[in-house]
Amino acid sequence: MHLAYPVVLSALLFCTGLYGVLARRNAILVLMSVELMLNAVNLNLVAFDVWLSKAAEETLHSGQALTLFTIAIAAAEIGIGLAIVLAVHRNRGTSDIDKLRDTAEGPDDDAPDDDAPDDAGPDGDLPPTDRAAEKAEATA
């Protein structure tokens, strides 16, 4: 078999994964796209290992060994990534990446808020009805 077939397939898989990372807004789909990109790299490693082993008399199969390490790293990454996504989903109620941008620090968190509504509580919080409306909007 020619080397071009697995390399083209790997390039298509990698481009599909890259599109998924750049275009998707759901954190789980982004993680799946990263896994697709890692599998494309694994396919390339094995294809080039087989191709180079035909040329050399002594083969070490280093491409296949690197593939095993990549699979182990990908398994750890998906485990930790899913744990983070589930924790964020429990706290925020959504796994949409655009709605999670408020997790970063604002410009000045200690400054008084001039845009606070007049019916704000004594500690500056919104009344319970506004909190419920915001949560309903975040989960929609």
Side-chain angles (χ1 to χ4, degrees):
M1 176 177 7
H2 296 285
L3 182 63
Y5 298 133
V7 169
V8 168
L9 178 62
S10 175
L12 289 174
L13 282 174
F14 192 85
C15 289
T16 304
L18 186 64
Y19 172 76
V21 167
L22 296 176
R24 298 293 180 177
R25 295 295 113 206
N26 190 343
I28 293 177
L29 292 178
V30 170
L31 285 174
M32 288 175 57
S33 298
V34 169
E35 289 293 320
L36 194 62
M37 292 167 60
L38 286 172
N39 286 332
V41 170
N42 288 339
L43 181 61
N44 253 345
L45 285 170
V46 171
F48 277 100
D49 181 50
V50 169
W51 182 65
L52 290 174
S53 69
K54 290 181 181 177
E57 292 179 16
E58 294 181 17
T59 59
L60 295 175
H61 298 293
S62 57
Q64 293 178 16
L66 284 173
T67 298
L68 289 176
F69 284 118
T70 307
I71 290 171
I73 289 171
E77 176 256 335
I78 198 69
I80 292 171
L82 280 176
I84 291 171
V85 168
L86 286 175
V88 168
H89 186 25
R90 282 184 189 158
N91 289 336
R92 301 278 175 164
T94 183
S95 62
D96 190 8
I97 294 174
D98 288 334
K99 293 182 181 175
L100 297 177
R101 292 193 181 177
D102 61 342
T103 58
E105 283 187 39
D108 189 14
D109 291 334
D110 296 333
D113 191 14
D114 293 336
D115 297 334
D118 295 336
D119 57 348
D123 56 350
D125 282 346
L126 295 175
T129 56
D130 289 343
R131 276 192 230 121
E134 284 181 4
K135 186 169 184 167
E137 181 182 336
T139 57

